[in-house]
Amino acid sequence: MQGNPTIRRIACGLAVALLPALAGCGWWAWKGDAASTEEDGTAETTPEETTDETSADGEGDTSTGDGGDGSDTTTSPDGTEDPLDNTSENAACTTDEDCFEGETCQDGLCVITPAPNDDLAGLASDPDTGAEVDLAAPLTVGDTVSLAAPDAAAAATRQSADECTCAWSVDPDSAGTFTAPADCATDFTALQAVDLTISVDVTCSGTTSTYRQDLTVEAAGTTTCTTDADCGTGETCQDGACTAAPTTPATCTTDADCPTGELCVAGACTADTGSSCTTDEDCADGELCEAGDCVTAPVANPTLTLLGKDTQAPYIVRLNLMLEDAEGLALAEGVTAEHFRISEDGERIDQTETSVFVTAAPNLPLRLVLVLDYTNSLRSVDAISDMISAAEAFIRAEHFTATHSVGVVEFHDRTDAGEGFSTAVPLTTADLLGKETIVAGLPAEDALESGLSRAWDAVDLALDMLAADEPQPGEARAIVFLTDGQDTTSEQTPETLTTKAKDGLVALYPIGFGNVGQSLQTLQSLAADTGGAYFPAAGASALESTFAEIARQLQGHWSLSYVSPSNSGTVALEASFDWDGGTATLAETFDAAALAGDIHQGLLAVTDRAYDSAQNRTSFVIKAEYVPRSISRFRFRFAHSTAAFNLQDTGGLTALSDGWRATPLGGGVYDVIGPASLDYGAFGNIGVASVPGDVPLLQVGHDDSVYAGLAQPKTILFEEDLWSAPYTLTVIVQPESTGWVVIDPLQAGYAHGETVTLTAVGGTELFDSWSGDHTGTVSPATITMDGNKTITANFGD
């Protein structure tokens, strides 16, 4: 490559100062100077120069090494000093425009741009045609040129060029290849788009001369440029070469959205290379890379299990469901009505035109029996204490609320019911107090004598417990039982249990303890056939986590409710559940004509009677089975003036945690008020009422006057299973206005067994006798209320 021009000028200046005979310094000049030295040492001049070193005035042209300011100067004919060359080298600069022609701005200073090496100019040709190739023009990657070494070295030594040797090289080494790098004539092929230098060392009679050629190689299809304006449409100027401008791939959904020759990959149009992907990451969401192509990934569907179907006048349809995701995990939260699509007779129901809502497990009734194994098979591995601890944690789980009831059955030996297996705890409301009652009822580790197993008979007993009461709206029923599968003495069989559980809509959740062996398939079938699930427990230490997993599984219980628009006939119902891109569907039928009723008439029920002997009080749960539109308030009138009424903390229809409040108004009257109207067709627990004594029925009425201000007045009725209206007492004076009767206490209604004192007071006539539901002549009279009564006070003769 070219030497440093600054050093070269200094050297020339020194030569002029020290050797005046060499004042022309022609042997230092390079291509492009005004003069160059001939082979014989004489100076070759250009037309603009004089024929020798003498100026027009006859004086020799005096050249000095310094113009007084550190620059090279010459003396002009008029005696003034001019710069040796027209440059501003070492002047400060910002851009190349601040410098003279032939200079560039480097590191803030103007420097002379070295002239390119072009020793091989005129010595390159096309290998196919023999035409001369201009090496000042760029080559293209892949181009081949024929090169010949200069003959100057051979001529200087008076030898033929054939008597010289050559060695070719290129910098950088990887920029190209030579076909004959040791011959003085060779072909060169450009391999990289770079600026390169070709060198050839020519050796003749021991003297070596080096010739160099600078060369630019561009990528195929490129054009030299300075700015983008020098390039064609769709090209940009990069590193002095025109290249195709990068394009932003068009967005797409399918291949049809892309131009010909492109495919839609991961939402962008890309060139069709024969395969659209390498890994799944190259594909769009919901796709997989298979055999180089993005294909739709198989959709994993959720699980939709029907636990039961309820229909309720007027026009209410409820589906009790177990919902699981594609991995089989129970969906405990996040499910809304929008996740469901409901169709009747093929016509999709518009959710904006009717009421569709879902109810989560904490707000749904659940009756569950826990069946525990106290047999020798568990005692022999010291697992009973772990089983009890796991059961305690299961019962105390936050998931269980006052909407749920839990009972316990144990089995420990082969003897009959009541001995070898028995009810340890009856179904008990799982509020905070009830949970502790259930835990306290678990048999202690040493309370039972362990023997052989009657697991199937114990599960049958649990089924009987659940069948004692009719299912409530939205109710789920389940039995969780622990066994090693080695039943040796039961009268019942897995087959009879499966049939009985399915008839009673009871889901079975067996826990296989240890190595259940050949019983594994039996336990799995019991679960699958009844809508439950099988859970293995490898040992005692795994019991607590297994029970906890079942508690989470039970949270997948949901109710889908809607008001049917159908009025008659058998309706084909289809419900689809959409979750994470997958869908599960079930089909049912119902008789629409049987659901006819008054949509403005609400329906309540009294359930779950429980007597507390320690407090001598009986409690009942009041539940809504159907709520009309625009209901945000209830007013209850209890027959017992000392009745207590409380809402649930959580769960149910009107929980305290949801902003509902119950306010006593006195005399057994309670106002229940919420923050907003309940869903049309809603159902669930309202609260728990307790009254004094051991009574069979809850006597309560509803004051419908609270709905008088609604656009459409509403009425509330009660079902009669555990309910009775307060007894009424009607007293008549005969003849009219001849006297009067004092009633104590005077109430709108009376409770069963409550006593009332009647005192007759004469007016115009004296009291004579009582007739009707009470007879006699004694006043005051004591009346025991055991039903509605009508009593007449007779005055006069």
Side-chain angles (χ1 to χ4, degrees), residues 345 568-573 589-593:
D345 293 333
S568 62
T570 299
V571 178
L573 162 66
T589 60
F590 66 90
D591 182 5

Side-chain angles (χ1 to χ4, degrees), residues 343-676:
S343 298
E344 289 188 356
D345 293 333
E347 294 292 330
R348 184 170 177 179
I349 291 177
D350 186 349
Q351 294 194 19
T352 64
E353 296 294 327
T354 187
S355 178
V356 179
F357 59 94
V358 296
T359 307
N363 301 329
L364 292 172
L366 167 69
R367 294 181 186 271
L368 181 143
V369 179
L370 193 58
V371 180
L372 301 179
D373 186 346
Y374 285 79
T375 63
N376 194 55
S377 59
L378 263 73
R379 188 176 297 279
S380 63
V381 293
D382 296 325
I384 291 180
S385 61
D386 290 299
M387 176 189 69
I388 295 173
S389 297
E392 291 176 350
F394 175 77
I395 293 165
R396 291 187 172 114
E398 292 184 0
H399 164 65
F400 294 121
T401 70
T403 310
H404 307 147
S405 298
V406 177
V408 179
V409 167
E410 61 77 24
F411 63 98
H412 63 278
D413 203 356
R414 65 187 301 171
T415 51
D416 292 337
E419 296 182 11
F421 60 99
S422 64
T423 299
V425 181
L427 286 167
T428 303
T429 301
D431 56 12
L432 292 177
L433 179 61
K435 289 178 180 179
E436 295 310 311
T437 300
I438 300 166
V439 168
L442 295 176
E445 181 177 3
D446 298 327
L448 301 172
E449 187 175 34
S450 299
L452 299 179
S453 173
R454 293 188 67 169
W456 306 140
D457 288 344
V459 173
D460 184 65
L461 176 59
L463 287 168
D464 290 340
M465 288 177 62
L466 295 175
D469 296 305
E470 289 294 322
Q472 303 172 37
E475 179 179 288
R477 298 185 169 197
I479 295 174
V480 178
F481 66 97
L482 176 68
T483 178
D484 60 4
Q486 308 304 314
D487 188 300
T488 54
T489 57
S490 281
E491 296 180 1
Q492 300 296 325
T493 66
E495 291 74 22
T496 59
L497 294 179
T498 298
T499 300
K500 193 171 184 177
K502 292 172 68 175
D503 291 344
L505 300 177
V506 179
L508 300 180
Y509 293 85
I511 301 174
F513 180 78
N515 182 12
V516 297
Q518 296 180 350
S519 298
L520 174 61
Q521 185 174 356
T522 298
L523 297 175
Q524 290 175 331
S525 296
L526 279 169
D529 293 343
T530 60
Y534 170 75
F535 294 85
S541 60
L543 286 174
E544 185 164 348
S545 62
T546 302
F547 273 103
E549 190 173 354
I550 294 176
R552 287 191 295 271
Q553 185 74 16
L554 291 170
Q555 295 181 56
H557 177 205
W558 294 80
S559 175
L560 171 65
S561 304
Y562 76 98
V563 178
S564 172
S566 299
N567 293 316
S568 62
T570 299
V571 178
L573 162 66
E574 182 177 275
S576 296
F577 174 58
D578 300 323
W579 189 263
D580 278 349
T583 300
T585 302
L586 62 81
E588 280 289 318
T589 60
F590 66 90
D591 182 5
L595 302 183
D598 185 354
I599 62 173
H600 304 298
Q601 182 174 282
L603 183 63
L604 307 184
V606 176
T607 65
D608 299 316
R609 176 189 177 277
Y611 173 64
D612 183 351
S613 59
Q615 300 293 325
N616 189 30
R617 292 182 73 87
T618 304
S619 65
F620 301 87
V621 175
I622 297 179
K623 298 184 177 183
E625 295 195 345
Y626 164 72
V627 175
R629 288 187 177 92
S630 307
I631 299 298
S632 61
R633 184 178 185 180
F634 299 96
R635 177 175 288 173
F636 298 117
R637 293 185 177 276
F638 295 97
H640 290 87
S641 59
T642 58
F645 183 75
N646 296 287
L647 304 180
Q648 293 180 196
D649 291 331
T650 58
L653 186 64
T654 57
L656 293 171
S657 59
D658 292 330
W660 285 78
R661 297 293 182 266
T663 304
L665 302 181
V669 179
Y670 279 82
D671 250 359
V672 180
I673 302 176

Side-chain angles (χ1 to χ4, degrees), residues 1-26:
M1 299 293 290
Q2 184 66 48
N4 189 304
T6 303
I7 296 175
R8 192 169 194 173
R9 293 173 61 197
I10 293 173
C12 185
L14 290 173
V16 170
L18 298 176
L19 300 173
L22 299 178
C25 203

Side-chain angles (χ1 to χ4, degrees), residues 165-190:
T165 61
C166 296
W168 296 87
S169 63
V170 63
D171 181 19
D173 294 339
S174 59
T177 59
F178 298 93
T179 57
D183 294 344
C184 291
T186 183
D187 287 350
F188 172 77
T189 300

Side-chain angles (χ1 to χ4, degrees), residues 93-475:
C93 62
T94 303
T95 67
D96 291 348
E97 295 179 355
D98 298 332
C99 304
F100 284 112
E101 183 177 356
E103 294 182 331
T104 58
C105 186
Q106 298 182 16
D107 299 326
L109 296 175
C110 292
V111 298
I112 297 172
T113 304
N117 293 303
D118 60 354
D119 293 338
L120 301 182
L123 299 175
S125 62
D126 187 309
D128 295 326
T129 65
E132 182 178 338
V133 175
D134 182 7
L135 296 182
L139 296 181
T140 300
V141 171
D143 284 353
T144 299
V145 294
S146 296
L147 300 174
D151 293 340
T157 57
R158 302 296 188 268
Q159 297 182 30
S160 169
D162 293 338
E163 298 176 2
C164 300
T165 61
C166 296
W168 296 87
S169 63
V170 63
D171 181 19
D173 294 339
S174 59
T177 59
F178 298 93
T179 57
D183 294 344
C184 291
T186 183
D187 287 350
F188 172 77
T189 300
L191 299 180
Q192 292 181 345
V194 294
D195 290 334
L196 57 85
T197 300
I198 295 175
S199 300
V200 58
D201 293 331
V202 180
T203 302
C204 301
S205 300
T207 300
T208 300
S209 299
T210 301
Y211 302 91
R212 297 181 177 87
Q213 178 69 46
D214 292 338
L215 189 63
T216 297
V217 179
E218 298 176 346
T222 60
T223 304
T224 57
C225 59
T226 304
T227 67
D228 289 349
D230 300 330
C231 303
T233 303
E235 293 183 325
T236 183
C237 187
Q238 296 184 4
D239 299 327
C242 292
T243 59
T247 59
T248 301
T251 58
C252 58
T253 304
T254 67
D255 292 346
D257 299 331
C258 300
T260 303
E262 293 185 341
L263 298 176
C264 185
V265 178
C269 292
T270 57
D272 183 2
T273 60
S275 61
S276 59
C277 61
T278 303
T279 67
D280 291 347
E281 294 179 355
D282 298 332
C283 301
D285 291 341
E287 293 184 333
L288 298 176
C289 185
E290 293 185 358
D293 291 320
C294 291
V295 298
T296 302
V299 176
N301 293 320
T303 300
L304 176 65
T305 304
L306 180 66
L307 302 179
K309 178 186 67 180
D310 299 324
T311 54
Q312 169 75 54
Y315 311 109
I316 301 298
V317 178
R318 298 189 184 107
L319 302 177
N320 301 323
L321 308 170
M322 181 63 70
L323 302 180
E324 298 171 336
D325 63 17
E327 297 180 356
L329 299 177
L331 295 174
E333 58 186 3
V335 178
T336 67
E338 284 69 31
H339 289 103
F340 290 90
R341 289 174 287 118
I342 304 171
S343 298
E344 289 188 356
D345 293 333
E347 294 292 330
R348 184 170 177 179
I349 291 177
D350 186 349
Q351 294 194 19
T352 64
E353 296 294 327
T354 187
S355 178
V356 179
F357 59 94
V358 296
T359 307
N363 301 329
L364 292 172
L366 167 69
R367 294 181 186 271
L368 181 143
V369 179
L370 193 58
V371 180
L372 301 179
D373 186 346
Y374 285 79
T375 63
N376 194 55
S377 59
L378 263 73
R379 188 176 297 279
S380 63
V381 293
D382 296 325
I384 291 180
S385 61
D386 290 299
M387 176 189 69
I388 295 173
S389 297
E392 291 176 350
F394 175 77
I395 293 165
R396 291 187 172 114
E398 292 184 0
H399 164 65
F400 294 121
T401 70
T403 310
H404 307 147
S405 298
V406 177
V408 179
V409 167
E410 61 77 24
F411 63 98
H412 63 278
D413 203 356
R414 65 187 301 171
T415 51
D416 292 337
E419 296 182 11
F421 60 99
S422 64
T423 299
V425 181
L427 286 167
T428 303
T429 301
D431 56 12
L432 292 177
L433 179 61
K435 289 178 180 179
E436 295 310 311
T437 300
I438 300 166
V439 168
L442 295 176
E445 181 177 3
D446 298 327
L448 301 172
E449 187 175 34
S450 299
L452 299 179
S453 173
R454 293 188 67 169
W456 306 140
D457 288 344
V459 173
D460 184 65
L461 176 59
L463 287 168
D464 290 340
M465 288 177 62
L466 295 175
D469 296 305
E470 289 294 322
Q472 303 172 37
E475 179 179 288

